């Protein structure tokens, strides 16, 4: 059974990249819906494995189209039975899709990752000293002290992360359109998505290099440009 | 051309997975299960299995693919 794999939405009912290949080497084509179109290719199965190769291919199709069009990326593995069902799904979302396309035209996303922010979190000396003293305490007291210590470390870590975020934002925000930051406490990793105008890419990259130079103790990585995954606001009708 | 600053070997693929598997436009809010071999279950718009776990699984299964991508993306 042939299905349609859908990569994204473009701001035109057609595009001229007839040579663009999608999954399994199938031609990528437009499924027009009003004044925009879904970007799709035939898929001879109902599922797709998220291998690095297939996810990169998804991104490659979007990246190619982004050179000429505003593009909204769809989540990987969006598969529909046929064009009719796809249009039925897009129709009630059309106004919201058009709004996002206008807002994101000419903009791309960068990913930022700060991975060693826990270096200043833990006070090992304090922990060892407290640990030795705790041996003589009753079990209940030891439990509560350990719990309090974990809470203190987490709070200190979050405070440190906020400070790091503020410092990095001072470098990056002036050359970006928008940013979303998040802290993964378990892995002590700060991540951010930056929305950047295409004409500001060089300035943004320079700002990242500058930020790294100003904060050599931090392990800051930056990858992109990606399709603006983190900045789409449109939701499916049942989620409204 | 992709920009990579200060990245480790798999940072780019991890950044892409975080986005392509967890973000972007969702056409169906419920039960989007189109990923073969991966227990991705959506309840509403919430992903119960994170892309990081997916990435870790994929790193062991598709190590050769990652190496190939490193060459392609360089």
């Amino acid at each position: 059974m042939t299905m349609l794999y859908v990569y994204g939405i473009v701001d035109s009912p057609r595009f001229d990249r007839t040579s663009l290949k999608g999954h399994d080497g199938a031609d990528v084509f437009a499924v027009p819906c009003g004044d925009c179109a879904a970007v799709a290719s035939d898929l001879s199965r109902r599922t797709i494995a998220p291998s690095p190769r297939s996810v990169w291919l998804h991104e490659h199709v979007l990246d190619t189209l982004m050179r000429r069009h505003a593009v909204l990326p769809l989540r990987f593995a969006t598969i529909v039975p046929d064009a009719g069902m796809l249009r039925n799904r897009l129709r009630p979302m059309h106004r919201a899709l058009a709004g996002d396309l206008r807002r994101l035209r000419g903009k791309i996303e960068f990913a930022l990752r700060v991975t060693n922010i826990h270096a200043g979190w833990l006070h090992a000396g304090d922990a060892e000293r407290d640990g030795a003293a705790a041996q003589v305490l009753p079990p209940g007291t030891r439990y509560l002290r350990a719990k309090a210590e974990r809470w203190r470390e987490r709070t200190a870590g979050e405070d440190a992360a906020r400070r790091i975020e503020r410092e990095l934002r001072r470098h990056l925000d002036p050359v970006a359109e928008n940013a979303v930051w998040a802290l993964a406490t378990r892995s002590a990793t700060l991540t951010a998505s930056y929305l950047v105008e295409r004409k500001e890419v060089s300035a943004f990259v320079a700002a990242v290099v500058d930020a790294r130079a100003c904060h050599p103790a931090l392990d800051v990585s930056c990858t992109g440009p990606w399709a603006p995954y983190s900045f789409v606001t449109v939701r499916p009708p049942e989620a409204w | 051309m992709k920009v990579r600053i200060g990245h480790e070997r798999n940072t780019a693929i991890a950044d892409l997975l975080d986005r392509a598997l967890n973000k972007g436009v969702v056409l169906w809010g419920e039960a989007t299960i189109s990923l073969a071999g991966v227990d991705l279950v959506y309840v509403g718009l919430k992903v119960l299995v994170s892309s990081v776990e997916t990435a870790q699984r994929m790193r062991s299964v598709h190590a050769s693919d990652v190496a190939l991508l490193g060459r392609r993306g360089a």
Side-chain angles (χ1 to χ4, degrees), chain A residues 16 48 113 216:
Chain A
D16 57 2
I48 187 160
R113 200 176 277 264

Side-chain angles (χ1 to χ4, degrees), chain B residues 26-51:
Chain B
V26 176
L27 293 185
W28 281 265
E30 300 290 335
T32 302
I33 307 174
S34 303
L35 295 159
V38 176
D39 298 328
L40 266 181
V41 178
Y42 292 80
V43 175
L45 294 174
K46 192 169 181 180
V47 181
L48 298 182
V49 179
S50 77
S51 67

Side-chain angles (χ1 to χ4, degrees), chain A residues 50 76 109 113 223-225, chain B residues 2-3 5 15 19-20 22 58:
Chain A
F76 180 83
E109 178 173 333
R113 200 176 277 264
T223 64
Chain B
K2 296 290 183 197
V3 172
I5 301 171
D15 285 343
R19 283 157 180 77
N22 285 337
M58 286 166 54

Side-chain angles (χ1 to χ4, degrees), chain A residues 47-53 55-56 59 63 73-80 86 89-90 93 109 111 113 192-193 205 208 212 220-226 229-230 232 234-236 238-239, chain B residues 1-8 11-30 32-36 38 42 45 47 54 58 62 65-66 68-69 72-73:
Chain A
T47 61
I48 187 160
S51 71
R53 194 189 304 265
V55 178
W56 271 105
E59 171 64 18
D63 191 47
L74 257 64
R75 193 168 290 183
F76 180 83
T78 300
I79 298 170
V80 297
L86 178 57
R89 174 52 52 160
L90 292 176
M93 303 168 71
E109 178 173 333
R113 200 176 277 264
S193 299
V205 170
V208 173
R212 282 168 53 85
V220 181
S221 72
C222 177
T223 64
W226 308 110
Y229 290 95
S230 305
V232 295
V234 62
R235 296 286 177 268
E238 56 263 43
Chain B
M1 192 179 103
K2 296 290 183 197
V3 172
R4 299 180 183 186
I5 301 171
H7 68 92
E8 291 181 7
T11 303
I13 188 68
D15 285 343
L16 176 57
L17 286 169
D18 276 345
R19 283 157 180 77
L21 301 187
N22 285 337
K23 299 172 182 175
V25 177
V26 176
L27 293 185
W28 281 265
E30 300 290 335
T32 302
I33 307 174
S34 303
L35 295 159
V38 176
Y42 292 80
L45 294 174
V47 181
T54 306
M58 286 166 54
H62 297 283
D65 277 345
V66 170
L68 173 65
L69 285 159
R72 283 180 58 194

